[in-house]
Amino acid sequence: MLENIKQTITGWDKKNPWTNVYGLARSIIALSSLLTLLVNHPSLIMKPASGISSYPACKMNLSLFCLGENNYMMLNLFRWVCIAILVLVVIGWRPRITGILHWYVSYSLQSSLIVIDGGEQAAAVITFLLIPITLTDPRKWHWSGRPDDPEGQRTIGKITAFISYFVIRLQVAVLYFHSTVAKLSQQEWVDGTAVYYFAQEKTIGFNGFFQALTKPFVSSPFVVIPTWGTLLVQIVIFAALFAPKKHWRLILIIAVFMHEIFAVMLGLISFSLIMAGILILYLTPIDSTFQFTYIRRLKWNKKEKKGEVSV
């Protein structure tokens, strides 16, 4: 066992955990929070509710927004502070600095928003677990290539980053396993009718267009297909923790597609964006690199049209 651990650590030392894989994931997670704050004034997302007289509720709460409790002018000021931080995260500037700030913004949103869909809690957990990776990232931008590593001087940083990545993958697997088990404890999921009830739900159900479009299907026995299909996909996502890496890409496509269906049909846009970022972390080797060849091709073609490139 000790020999296996030694071989694993030796393997980590030869790899680079600071790639645009985790950079893309944290940018997508930050983009979701950024959009939420950009399109919503504090008076819409931080207000009194049943049993809660102050906004936001700040008992045992260290949220940034608690500094402006019951004052919408101050809450709006802190909203713009968070927006500025999230912009820096999205563009990938100085992970060592923005990593902790990103987590604190995610924590503040999760603690202060009166309307949340579950994505904020997931973002707060994952951004916290990303902190060891960001703190050890020597790059100025998280889109940059491999950092200089003279004579393996960053061994401790690499080990720290890979351990954090393993904990993130474990956390995501537990999240989907728990979600599946919780659903199986409800009769509507077991008998295959849960999607029908979600479609009719007043707050997050289908809008008029999708209700009219899907009514013949969700009102038929075929409703078991999307209901049990959701459970099956979640089980597969959990099982990906033990699956060979060669299967990760296919599982990632299926998982992201499922969440984007939620975004379109249930309006869970911020939740689906956050989960897409988390799934990229979970189902992409952190030491790999996204090439973005299509974007590069577009840039190259644009230069050719301008006559900047000679053929």
Side-chain angles (χ1 to χ4, degrees):
M1 183 176 177
L2 291 176
E3 185 63 28
N4 289 337
I5 294 175
K6 182 179 178 180
Q7 290 178 359
T8 299
I9 293 176
T10 302
W12 285 346
D13 193 31
K14 297 177 181 178
K15 298 177 181 179
N16 171 39
W18 306 296
T19 67
N20 61 8
V21 170
Y22 103 90
L24 177 62
R26 68 192 295 261
S27 286
I28 292 175
I29 294 171
L31 178 63
S32 174
S33 302
L34 176 62
L35 293 175
T36 297
L37 290 174
L38 278 175
V39 302
N40 293 288
H41 189 271
S43 60
L44 296 175
I45 54 180
M46 300 176 199
K47 55 186 179 180
S50 177
I52 304 175
S53 58
S54 61
Y55 49 93
C58 289
K59 185 177 181 180
M60 301 297 292
N61 189 342
L62 300 177
S63 166
L64 173 64
F65 295 104
C66 287
L67 298 176
E69 188 176 12
N70 298 332
N71 186 330
Y72 280 129
M73 184 177 73
M74 292 299 296
L75 288 174
N76 196 43
L77 173 63
F78 291 126
R79 175 176 74 113
W80 283 106
V81 170
C82 291
I83 286 173
I85 293 171
L86 291 170
V87 167
L88 294 177
V89 177
V90 171
I91 65 176
W93 182 78
R94 297 289 187 188
R96 279 186 171 177
I97 298 174
T98 58
I100 294 177
L101 295 177
H102 186 192
W103 164 74
Y104 186 57
V105 170
S106 298
Y107 164 78
S108 296
L109 292 177
Q110 182 265 325
S111 303
S112 300
L113 300 191
I114 197 66
V115 180
I116 55 178
D117 54 21
E120 287 77 13
Q121 289 98 327
V125 172
I126 297 301
T127 53
F128 178 77
L129 295 177
L130 276 171
I131 289 176
I133 302 179
T134 60
L135 286 179
T136 54
D137 191 341
R139 299 172 299 169
K140 182 177 180 180
W141 302 93
H142 69 207
W143 305 108
S144 303
R146 180 186 297 271
D148 294 332
D149 187 20
E151 300 181 2
Q153 291 180 4
R154 295 195 173 93
T155 299
I156 299 301
K158 289 180 178 180
I159 294 173
T160 301
F162 277 112
I163 290 176
S164 179
Y165 175 62
F166 172 77
V167 174
I168 288 172
R169 295 200 73 238
L170 184 62
Q171 174 64 54
V172 177
V174 170
L175 186 155
Y176 279 97
F177 178 76
H178 180 270
S179 177
T180 303
V181 172
K183 287 181 175 65
L184 290 173
S185 66
Q186 301 175 23
Q187 184 60 36
E188 294 82 1
W189 285 98
V190 175
D191 62 27
T193 61
V195 168
Y196 170 81
Y197 294 108
F198 272 103
Q200 311 303 319
E201 216 276 335
K202 297 299 181 183
T203 55
I204 62 169
F206 295 171
N207 59 33
F209 172 77
F210 282 120
Q211 279 195 347
L213 184 66
T214 61
K215 185 175 181 180
F217 183 84
V218 299
S219 300
S220 73
F222 292 108
V223 74
V224 301
I225 296 175
T227 303
W228 290 345
T230 300
L231 292 173
L232 178 61
V233 171
Q234 289 192 333
I235 292 172
V236 169
I237 295 173
F238 162 71
L241 180 66
F242 312 100
K245 291 182 180 180
K246 64 181 180 180
H247 300 305
W248 287 12
R249 178 174 295 182
L250 176 60
I251 299 173
L252 174 63
I253 293 172
I254 294 172
V256 171
F257 180 70
M258 177 186 72
H259 280 290
E260 297 321 304
I261 290 177
F262 295 163
V264 173
M265 304 195 75
L266 297 175
L268 299 175
I269 297 174
S270 63
F271 172 76
S272 297
L273 268 177
I274 288 170
M275 295 312 299
I278 290 173
L279 286 165
I280 288 173
L281 270 176
Y282 179 60
L283 292 168
T284 308
I286 196 174
D287 56 304
S288 61
T289 304
F290 289 124
Q291 297 300 325
F292 301 115
T293 52
Y294 179 72
I295 296 176
R296 291 180 179 179
R297 195 180 302 121
L298 287 178
K299 289 182 178 179
W300 183 267
N301 292 338
K302 186 176 180 181
K303 289 182 179 179
E304 287 182 342
K305 291 178 181 179
K306 289 182 178 180
E308 298 176 6
V309 178
S310 58
V311 180

